[in-house]
Every structure is written in structure tokens, then in C-alpha cells.
Amino acid sequence: MVQLTFGARMRLSPFHAQAMRAGLSHASVYNHMVLPVAYGDALAEYWRLINDCALWDVGVERQVEIVGPDAFALVQRLCSRDLTKLAVGKGKYVALCDHDGTLINDPVLLKLADDRFWLSIADSDILFWARAVAGERGYDVQVFEPDVSPLAVQGPKAEDVVASLFGEDIRALKSFWFTETHLDGIPLVLARSGWSKQGGFELYLTDGSHGDALWQNMMEAGRPFNIGPGAPNAIERIESGLLSYGSDTDDATNPFEVRLDRFVSLDTPADYIGKAALQRIAENGPARLQVGLVLDTAPAAATDRKWPISQDGETVGYASSIVHSPRLERSIGIGLVRTDLTEPGTRVVIDSPDGPIPASVADLPFL
Amino acid sequence: MVQLTFGARMRLSPFHAQAMRAGLSHASVYNHMVLPVAYGDALAEYWRLINDCALWDVGVERQVEIVGPDAFALVQRLCSRDLTKLAVGKGKYVALCDHDGTLINDPVLLKLADDRFWLSIADSDILFWARAVAGERGYDVQVFEPDVSPLAVQGPKAEDVVASLFGEDIRALKSFWFTETHLDGIPLVLARSGWSKQGGFELYLTDGSHGDALWQNMMEAGRPFNIGPGAPNAIERIESGLLSYGSDTDDATNPFEVRLDRFVSLDTPADYIGKAALQRIAENGPARLQVGLVLDTAPAAATDRKWPISQDGETVGYASSIVHSPRLERSIGIGLVRTDLTEPGTRVVIDSPDGPIPASVADLPFL
């Protein structure tokens, strides 16, 4: 057991004090910030997400704000998806690639105005990436990290919680759309989004000084709906086949390998970094593909570390996360394997530190 | 107490298994990897560094390798220091800034050949920054993270340990110079460097499969010199006034604010990102300056979190790390304050969560 040292280098979200008070037991680090992982009862937290609703401190999901006359030009240059039809008030899941077509982040892009965007990023320094491109191309934009920290409420009852606070009209908000609003003077952007398939909302707090108040308001409103603390859930995200950038990817992963084909625009005039490389990869086909894995036996310890996958003694990929699924009552995982091994039922071996574990390839998502 | 979750997103150094076996008790995350912080007895680890020698797993100190015909052009574009006279076999401490002159990393640059360099980086994704600049400018270079993981031996007896393994000639290696060598078939780059002022070496292991062997060799050779496990030491680095990028800096810190003036070349033809902005800042003078702080009383808990500094009720900066110095027998810290408050002895107040603590400004380094 290793204790996490909260150094000055590591920033805390506006919800951190409340997370500690709620009994935070496990944490990780994400975008140089403390990311809550568990509150002492991982299984209860899983079922809370599946059956009721959970409140997640996802303040680590930093925003890269891009504003100014060339804001759209820069955003389009960064994203491998044609953004010409994106409406104000809507978000889009996008892939960011480098010049070789390698995935470097998979944010949600929010269009706040024609000349103002947020990239709501996964765990890599896209602030610097965007600034480098803007600076070297001489774009007339400002690129900065605003005081914005998302708090997520996820689960089948999340909508009830949000409706009880923001009114019944919020039920009509479509997936990935957002609205600028406030709660007892707390300014926020309310979006129907979140990193689970159980439904829910993200409340982008736009003034960090209200972190305690927003958390407490949500917990209070959620009480009739069995709300409790939780965090982005490793089990549910694998069951649901959600991509975890950095976990499921490496320094050579392109979007086609990890099922992001439909977020890559190859045949539109939109020009962006990596387009030529992605066109070449699409033409030749990717070298690996992401699959589900169903293990014959459970590993000695459930793990979300990367383990090699082999077939007939030859390494053919790796499993990026293995968990026990309470709903499937099986050990399952996500892997990146050679493209000829993606047929469901294909037999492979996962080389765990405690010995080989036979497994079958499966379609994603599991549920 | 919060336990660190080792997710698949978080990479482990080749020395990690040995660090665990040595009793790793506290860790942080740095460049998306687990950074060992302590082994259960912080004070013993401090004195080991001051009096004898300590072995540090600093595999988190990733290398960004830049190689190819335009390698020098890219490296010079990235670094705010004139590099025309840098010799092969030598390292230089450099500042990397964005187009506004804001510090984004403070690596050691190693020149391995005229067309091959390593940036041995602090905690930000300089791999992406360098790739963005290379890609957008069309430089003919490869930019990648090689299989290189530093293991540091630091302390007054570190040279004895290294000489016992690599021969007496190594004592002649000057500061920041390095040599490509091997140890019982383990390939490495051996440099006189390290993030302490107690002297020592960094062994850049260039084949991660030898992590166990290198650690064990060093521990064995170090036994007569009282070697033991350790980590970059928060107390010693503050006593010695070493910069911690990300701890002592924020999103607006320029090199002049944190005593890096002599690593910024303003009057040479060398062109680099941020030069115009840095020239402007140098002309007007920086808004803040880094100082030492001596506290009248110890905080309730020694801390390395950022706390506001005030004078007459007005916020004038922040303390980025506060520790108890066993050698000075005082609570000391590093802060970034308004430039009119840098005179040693200037009285300020550090606003800790447990109440205000009067303190005096002091020169850096303390020792």
C-alpha cells in the first residue's frame, strides 16, 4: 500500500475538501491534479452508479479555453472531426492527433460562442499543444485554462436530482448539449454528458470558490435518490466499452485502432493536424484493434495494469484493464490486439504476473 | 490518508519492483508515472542524503529524444539559452518557454551527437510540445520517448560508489558532463548531475529490462558507503534553493521570476520561442521574484502545498513549499512574492489553513 503525497506540484479541485470529508480512500493523478478513485467500498460505489446515482469530483477534467478571431481555425486545426456544423450550446466528442495520426487526447469540445470553445480534456497537456500550434501559426487567439471544474452526477436517477434543482425543463436537454445557468448564485455550465453509460450530467463550475456549496447542494438534492460519493468507475467503463486515453492507448495508437473511426473526417475539406497520416492509415487499415476480453479464470488480483496478450507463444497485443464485472459475473477486460484476432470467440492468453490466463475475444461494449 | 491507485494509465519505472521491495511508503505521480517519495522514515532518508548516499528511482525523469538533420534547429527553437557552443557529451540546464515567455519546463539538455539530443524533462508533456513545433514548422526530425530511465545516486559518498563500479577515472567527470558506458552488460549513460546539492550521478539506463540488475548492483556497491533508498528530497531541495517546476511555478511564471536569468540568452542571435516576450519582460522587470522564507513558528503540519503570503492584509504572493529543516532547525519555505518585498528580513504573513504564521524573507539558497 503506497500513500499518495499531495505535493505543491499537484493541484486540488474545488471539491477536494468535500471528497476528503466523504471518506476518500483511493486516488490517482490526472492532469497534475488529485483524481478521486474510491471511497472505501468499491462495490457499493459500482452499484450506486448502476442503480441510483453517484456524485463524482471530476475537477481534473480541465478545460482548455480558446477564444478570439482565429478560435475556430485553431480548434479545427486540432480536431480530426469536421466541426463546420457544430452549433453554439453543443458539445462533440473529438479525437486530437499529432502529425503522425497518433492519438494525443480525446476531449469533449464545447462551443460556447462562435469565437469561444472549451476542450474538456483527458490526461495530457493539451494546453501546451494548443499553444504551440497557435503560436507557431500566428493565430490571433488566447489559449488558457479557465477557472472551470466539472462535478458529475451519473446514474439512472441523476436526471431526477438535476431536475429537482434546475427544473423539469432540463429533462429535454439532449445528449452533449449544454446550457449556461446558475444555482443559488453558483455559476455553471450544465451539460448532459459524463464518462459512463448510465446517463447523467456534468456541472461545469465556473467559479471555484463555490466548490463546497455546489457539492453540498447536490448531495442534499440527491438524498431522496440514494446519491453518494463515487468516481469514474473502472468496472462500468469497461462493461460499457468507454475509451480511457492513456490506459487503452500508447505512444503509437491511432483513432482507428480504438473504435473512433466515426470521429475522424477524412472526406471533408476540413484540414487538421494528422489528416494525411490518418488517410494513409485508413487506406492500409490499422495494425491493431481494440476488443473485449472474457477471462476463463479471475486473476489473483483484479487489476487495471497493462498485461501482454499472446497466442501460440507469440505476443499479439496487450490487455489494458481487467476487472471483475458484478453484472456479468466474469472477469473482463479491454485489449488492443492484432487485427486478425478480433473475431468474437478467438482464443488468446493473457500473461499475468501470476501466470497465463486463457481468455476469449469479445465484442465491445459488453453491456 | 489516501492510497495511490496504480492504474493502467500510470506507467511504472524499470526500478519500480525494487522500490516496492525496499519498502516504498509514499509516492507521487510525475510525467504519468509513479514517483517514489519516501520509504517510511523521511528523516533517516534526509540524513542519508546529507551524510552518506541515497539511491533514487527517478525513472519519471523522461527523455524527449530529438534526432535528425534539423535536430539542432528544433532544440534551439525550444530552449531559451544559446546552444551554439554546447559540446557533445555535455548537458546544460535549460528553460523552455511558451510564446508569452511563460516557463513550461526546465529540463537538462544532453547533446549525444551533433544531430541527437535528449531533453531530460520535469513534469509536463514536452514530447507533445516538441512534436507540435516540429510538425508545424516542417522540421526534418524524429521526436520520441526512448527507453531511457534515470537512476540517481546522490550524497557526499555517491562518487565513491560510482568509482567503485566504473573506475577511479570517473572522479574527473565534470558537472553536467556524461559518458556512454555499461556495467556488466547493462547499457547506460553516466552523468554527473542530479536534483540535489549534495553531489552525485545519474545513471540513464538505456534498456529497461535491466532495471532490477542496475538497482541491485548499485545497492551492493553502495553498502560500504551506507547507501539506502531515497527520493528527490523536499527538505534538501528547499535548503539548497533548487527550483521545482510546477511546485514553485504557475501558469504565469517566467524564468526571471524564479532566478533563471542566467539561462536566458537575450543578446545572442539564437532565436527561440518566447524570445521577444522575454526581452520585453527583462526590459520592464518581472512582477514577482522567488525568495526564501523563514517562519516564526512551525505550521501544524509541515506541508508542501501552496499557501498565500500577505502583508498588511494584502495578498502579495504564495509560499510553494514549507518544510522543517533539520540542519537549520527552523521551518523554511520557498515563495514567489511582489518584487518590492525581496529584501532579506522583510516581514510577511503566511496564511496557513490553521491560521497566519509570521515569517521573514530570506536569500536563497539557505545552505
Side-chain angles (χ1 to χ4, degrees):
Chain A
M1 214 212 51
V2 175
Q3 189 174 337
L4 175 60
T5 300
F6 292 1
R9 197 170 36 78
M10 207 173 298
R11 298 179 297 165
L12 303 176
S13 94
F15 316 113
H16 180 75
Q18 294 294 327
M20 290 301 285
R21 236 164 273 155
L24 182 66
S25 63
H26 292 71
S28 179
V29 174
Y30 197 97
N31 284 326
H32 313 279
M33 294 179 71
V34 174
L35 168 64
V37 167
Y39 290 82
D41 189 345
L43 203 58
E45 290 156 35
Y46 167 82
W47 286 117
R48 185 178 290 152
L49 169 63
I50 302 299
N51 295 328
D52 299 306
C53 56
L55 193 64
W56 297 358
D57 168 7
V58 282
V60 299
E61 195 185 299
R62 304 314 293 166
Q63 314 307 307
V64 176
E65 180 158 335
I66 298 173
V67 64
D70 290 333
F72 181 77
L74 174 58
V75 166
Q76 183 60 81
R77 178 93 191 127
L78 299 177
C79 301
S80 68
R81 188 172 180 177
D82 190 325
L83 301 169
T84 42
K85 289 180 185 159
L86 180 58
V88 171
K90 187 155 191 229
K92 254 188 206 287
Y93 182 57
V94 293
L96 268 58
C97 296
D98 68 15
H99 297 77
D100 294 325
T102 300
L103 189 69
I104 60 167
N105 207 290
D106 65 328
V108 172
L109 171 71
L110 290 85
K111 183 170 179 176
L112 295 142
D114 284 331
D115 62 352
R116 184 170 169 240
F117 299 84
W118 286 345
L119 286 165
S120 188
I121 60 170
D123 182 32
S124 67
D125 294 337
I126 295 307
L127 179 68
F128 291 169
W129 176 261
R131 280 186 177 167
V133 175
E136 293 299 280
R137 295 183 81 87
Y139 282 138
D140 184 6
V141 288
Q142 288 178 59
V143 181
F144 61 99
E145 185 187 289
D147 175 8
V148 176
S149 305
L151 183 68
V153 55
Q154 300 283 299
K157 298 181 184 165
E159 186 177 298
D160 294 331
V161 180
V162 170
S164 77
L165 282 170
F166 295 91
E168 290 297 312
D169 289 356
I170 207 68
R171 296 189 191 272
L173 192 71
K174 288 186 200 154
S175 199
F176 279 100
W177 286 79
F178 62 85
T179 175
E180 297 190 49
T181 180
H182 57 88
L183 179 68
D184 294 341
I186 304 172
L188 36 91
V189 168
L190 178 60
R192 191 187 284 273
S193 58
W195 199 59
S196 86
K197 287 288 182 197
Q198 308 311 309
F201 291 78
E202 288 180 297
L203 296 88
Y204 292 75
L205 174 63
T206 56
D207 177 349
S209 69
H210 295 287
D212 278 358
L214 182 59
W215 175 285
Q216 284 164 342
N217 265 296
M218 292 298 293
M219 278 295 186
E220 184 63 32
R223 199 171 301 160
F225 307 101
N226 297 323
I227 204 169
N233 194 285
I235 303 172
E236 194 275 343
R237 81 100 183 166
I238 291 171
E239 292 172 340
S240 301
L242 291 172
L243 180 68
S244 172
Y245 169 77
S247 302
D248 304 340
T249 64
D250 54 44
D251 197 24
T253 307
N254 63 63
F256 305 117
E257 292 183 333
V258 289
R259 303 174 297 123
L260 301 187
D261 309 56
R262 67 202 171 93
F263 306 112
V264 178
S265 305
L266 294 176
D267 304 321
T268 71
D271 189 29
Y272 53 82
I273 293 173
K275 188 177 188 184
L278 289 167
Q279 284 171 328
R280 272 196 308 276
I281 296 167
E283 211 167 301
N284 301 328
R288 305 176 295 182
L289 284 171
Q290 194 179 46
V291 295
L293 298 162
V294 179
L295 285 67
D296 288 6
T297 56
T303 176
D304 52 0
R305 295 229 46 79
K306 284 176 183 166
W307 288 343
I309 299 175
S310 62
Q311 194 185 50
D312 303 329
E314 188 189 351
T315 299
V316 295
Y318 59 81
S320 51
S321 297
I322 294 166
V323 295
H324 178 78
S325 163
R327 284 184 289 173
L328 296 170
E329 298 181 334
R330 298 295 297 266
S331 285
I332 61 171
I334 284 185
L336 200 57
V337 299
R338 234 170 47 197
T339 46
D340 59 317
L341 302 170
T342 58
E343 194 62 33
T346 302
R347 298 292 287 167
V348 294
V349 170
I350 297 174
D351 296 312
S352 91
D354 299 308
I357 302 172
S360 294
V361 168
D363 279 333
L364 286 172
F366 288 98
L367 286 171
Chain B
M1 215 212 50
V2 176
Q3 190 174 335
L4 175 61
T5 300
F6 292 0
R9 196 170 38 77
M10 208 173 297
R11 299 179 297 165
L12 303 177
S13 95
F15 316 112
H16 180 75
Q18 293 295 327
M20 290 301 284
R21 234 163 274 156
L24 182 67
S25 62
H26 292 70
S28 179
V29 174
Y30 198 96
N31 283 326
H32 312 280
M33 294 180 71
V34 174
L35 168 65
V37 167
Y39 290 83
D41 190 344
L43 203 59
E45 290 154 36
Y46 167 81
W47 285 117
R48 186 179 290 152
L49 169 63
I50 302 298
N51 294 328
D52 299 307
C53 56
L55 193 64
W56 297 358
D57 168 7
V58 282
V60 300
E61 193 185 300
R62 305 314 294 165
Q63 313 308 305
V64 175
E65 180 158 336
I66 298 172
V67 64
D70 291 332
F72 181 77
L74 174 58
V75 166
Q76 183 61 82
R77 178 93 192 127
L78 299 176
C79 301
S80 69
R81 188 171 178 177
D82 190 325
L83 301 169
T84 42
K85 288 180 186 159
L86 180 59
V88 172
K90 187 157 192 225
K92 253 188 207 288
Y93 181 58
V94 293
L96 268 56
C97 296
D98 68 14
H99 297 77
D100 294 326
T102 300
L103 189 69
I104 61 168
N105 207 290
D106 64 329
V108 172
L109 171 71
L110 290 84
K111 183 171 180 176
L112 295 143
D114 283 332
D115 62 352
R116 184 169 169 240
F117 299 84
W118 286 344
L119 286 165
S120 189
I121 60 171
D123 182 32
S124 66
D125 294 337
I126 295 307
L127 180 67
F128 291 169
W129 175 261
R131 280 187 176 166
V133 175
E136 293 298 279
R137 295 184 81 88
Y139 282 138
D140 184 6
V141 287
Q142 288 178 60
V143 181
F144 62 99
E145 185 186 289
D147 175 8
V148 175
S149 305
L151 182 68
V153 55
Q154 300 283 300
K157 298 180 185 165
E159 186 177 297
D160 294 329
V161 180
V162 170
S164 77
L165 283 170
F166 295 90
E168 291 297 313
D169 289 357
I170 208 67
R171 297 188 191 273
L173 192 70
K174 287 184 201 154
S175 199
F176 280 98
W177 286 79
F178 61 86
T179 175
E180 298 190 49
T181 182
H182 57 88
L183 180 68
D184 294 341
I186 305 172
L188 38 89
V189 168
L190 178 61
R192 190 186 286 272
S193 57
W195 200 59
S196 85
K197 287 287 181 197
Q198 308 311 311
F201 291 78
E202 288 180 296
L203 296 86
Y204 292 75
L205 174 63
T206 57
D207 177 350
S209 68
H210 295 288
D212 278 358
L214 182 58
W215 176 284
Q216 284 164 342
N217 265 296
M218 292 298 292
M219 278 294 187
E220 185 61 33
R223 199 172 301 161
F225 306 102
N226 297 323
I227 203 169
N233 193 285
I235 303 172
E236 193 275 343
R237 81 101 182 164
I238 291 171
E239 292 172 341
S240 299
L242 291 173
L243 180 67
S244 172
Y245 169 77
S247 302
D248 303 339
T249 64
D250 54 45
D251 197 23
T253 306
N254 63 63
F256 305 117
E257 291 183 335
V258 288
R259 303 174 297 123
L260 301 187
D261 310 54
R262 66 201 171 94
F263 307 111
V264 178
S265 305
L266 293 177
D267 304 320
T268 72
D271 190 28
Y272 53 82
I273 293 174
K275 188 176 186 183
L278 289 166
Q279 284 172 328
R280 272 197 307 276
I281 296 167
E283 210 168 303
N284 301 328
R288 305 175 296 183
L289 284 171
Q290 194 179 47
V291 295
L293 298 162
V294 179
L295 285 67
D296 288 6
T297 57
T303 176
D304 51 2
R305 296 228 46 79
K306 285 176 182 167
W307 287 344
I309 298 176
S310 63
Q311 194 184 51
D312 302 328
E314 187 189 350
T315 299
V316 294
Y318 59 80
S320 51
S321 299
I322 294 166
V323 295
H324 178 78
S325 163
R327 285 185 288 173
L328 296 170
E329 299 182 332
R330 297 296 296 267
S331 286
I332 60 170
I334 284 185
L336 200 56
V337 299
R338 234 170 48 197
T339 44
D340 59 316
L341 302 169
T342 58
E343 193 63 33
T346 302
R347 297 292 288 167
V348 294
V349 171
I350 297 173
D351 297 310
S352 91
D354 299 307
I357 302 172
S360 294
V361 168
D363 279 333
L364 286 172
F366 288 98
L367 287 170

